[in-house]
Amino acid sequence: MAIRYVSINLIEDKDKADLLVEVPKKTPFSSVVNDKIIPNVLRESNNEEQRKILSHQNSLIYIQIKDDYIYFVIADESATKRSIFAFLNDLIEKFGMVTNKQNESQNRKLVEGVIKSYNESPVKYDKIAATQQKVEDIQDVLVDTIEKVLKRGEKLDIMAAQTNFVEDVTNDFKKGAVKTKRRACVIM
């Protein structure tokens, strides 16, 4: 689940937004987002807060409008809606703390940091996936424990069989010893 592109734009009017930052810079996505998608989304939104998902080739475009800003995330189709919108919420929260929103290098570092964090561990942005991962880890531990118990049980079964064999041999030896003792007593 990789994020391919992120941009943050300041909404100026109904069909125009000023690009504040994009990562990576000047990609084929840039022209699609800036020339085609932004004007359409802004006309439809009336500057109201909203979330939207569009499909483009093998990618999904996640759009969120909030507080006069429009956020774009282009991600692989394998990304879950929950994790991308959690990523967007994290990005929006961190961007909200920025005092000088016109500082492109500062914005770039912020966006790159959030993207890196997501791409290294997307599960932490998806609580359900994180819970599923924990359940799978617990299942692995349980399966390992059950296998060890079964191996131990097999070893116990082998030891019980060996004990029975030794007991049988011991009983045979005892009977033989008693017979030998009786014969020895008869001879004397």
Side-chain angles (χ1 to χ4, degrees):
M1 295 192 295
I3 292 176
R4 297 181 182 180
Y5 175 85
V6 173
S7 75
I8 302 173
N9 304 270
L10 175 62
I11 300 171
E12 292 181 6
D13 57 42
K14 275 191 162 190
D15 61 350
K16 190 170 186 242
D18 183 32
L19 178 66
L20 297 177
V21 65
E22 67 178 343
V23 176
K25 203 173 187 177
K26 303 288 184 203
T27 67
F29 296 125
S30 301
S31 62
V32 172
V33 168
N34 293 317
D35 300 338
K36 296 179 182 178
I37 299 173
I38 287 179
N40 290 335
V41 170
L42 290 176
R43 270 185 246 122
E44 293 173 8
S45 73
N46 296 324
N47 291 346
E48 296 175 7
E49 288 191 13
Q50 72 173 26
R51 288 180 169 181
K52 195 173 200 174
I53 301 173
L54 305 171
S55 180
H56 179 68
Q57 295 172 349
N58 291 334
S59 300
L60 292 174
I61 303 169
Y62 295 81
I63 304 164
Q64 186 159 346
I65 297 175
K66 185 172 175 118
D67 301 329
D68 296 328
Y69 294 96
I70 184 166
Y71 301 84
F72 285 90
V73 174
I74 299 178
D76 293 338
E77 287 182 328
S78 61
T80 65
K81 290 177 189 177
R82 286 185 311 269
S83 65
I84 296 298
F85 282 122
F87 165 84
L88 268 167
N89 289 338
D90 189 33
L91 179 65
I92 290 167
E93 180 183 328
K94 289 179 179 170
F95 186 71
M97 292 183 218
V98 172
T99 53
N100 182 4
K101 295 187 179 1
Q102 299 296 326
N103 184 337
E104 186 182 353
S105 66
Q106 177 184 339
N107 294 341
R108 177 174 303 290
K109 286 178 186 174
L110 174 105
V111 171
E112 286 172 346
V114 179
I115 290 172
K116 182 179 179 189
S117 173
Y118 175 85
N119 285 340
E120 287 176 356
S121 180
V123 173
K124 80 177 188 180
Y125 285 92
D126 188 348
K127 292 179 183 177
I128 293 174
T131 303
Q132 287 173 334
Q133 184 63 46
K134 287 178 185 176
V135 168
E136 289 173 9
D137 291 345
I138 291 169
Q139 284 177 331
D140 290 343
V141 169
L142 287 173
V143 166
D144 188 45
T145 303
I146 290 170
E147 286 174 355
K148 286 178 182 176
V149 166
L150 291 174
K151 284 181 184 176
R152 183 174 175 217
E154 289 172 3
K155 288 179 183 177
L156 289 174
D157 289 344
I158 291 170
M159 286 177 63
Q162 289 174 342
T163 303
N164 289 338
F165 175 74
V166 169
E167 187 178 6
D168 290 344
V169 168
T170 304
N171 286 337
D172 290 345
F173 178 78
K174 185 178 178 182
K175 287 177 188 175
V178 168
K179 284 182 185 178
T180 303
K181 184 178 176 185
R182 284 186 191 151
R183 284 186 193 155
C185 287
V186 170
I187 296 178
M188 292 192 177

